[in-house]
Amino acid sequence: MTQMDILLFNAGTFNLLECRSGIEEIEDAKMIIVSCTESRTNRLLLHSQALPPAFFDLRSRFAGEFIQKLMNYRIRVAAVFESEDGYSAK
């Protein structure tokens, strides 16, 4: 597992984890789950820069398996994509 850039924010009535970089393999979901548990939150914001190219290649199954691991622990996930360049199907 790699070093991830994960920040904790308090949004008034709930905490939110924000992952800005560092996801390289499906098993990195475990580190995020642990971070959510330790921070007492089930809310996660992913930035597109945090995701590897395999996430956007549906044949790799990375996206489905990664998100499924988070969903198994009831982690609510939102993603931020600054631009659709490089992420659209061609």
Side-chain angles (χ1 to χ4, degrees), residues 15-67:
N15 289 333
L16 167 75
L17 279 187
E18 179 179 12
C19 184
R20 294 182 178 198
S21 66
I23 298 170
E24 293 185 2
E25 53 191 55
I26 293 169
E27 295 305 312
D28 288 339
K30 291 178 183 177
M31 184 184 296
I32 292 173
I33 293 164
V34 168
S35 295
C36 285
T37 302
E38 290 174 348
S39 302
R40 296 184 178 163
T41 187
N42 68 340
R43 297 166 195 248
L44 174 67
L45 180 63
L46 292 174
H47 285 265
S48 59
Q49 302 95 312
L51 302 169
F55 187 90
F56 303 97
D57 179 5
L58 295 180
R59 290 173 289 174
S60 75
R61 301 177 62 162
F62 187 102
E65 291 180 31
F66 183 81
I67 298 299

Side-chain angles (χ1 to χ4, degrees), residues 52-86:
F55 187 90
F56 303 97
D57 179 5
L58 295 180
R59 290 173 289 174
S60 75
R61 301 177 62 162
F62 187 102
E65 291 180 31
F66 183 81
I67 298 299
Q68 185 62 53
K69 285 183 183 295
L70 298 173
M71 291 177 63
N72 288 345
Y73 287 87
R74 301 188 194 279
I75 305 294
R76 299 171 72 182
V77 182
V80 175
F81 298 90
E82 293 180 18
S83 170
E84 64 185 55
D85 297 338

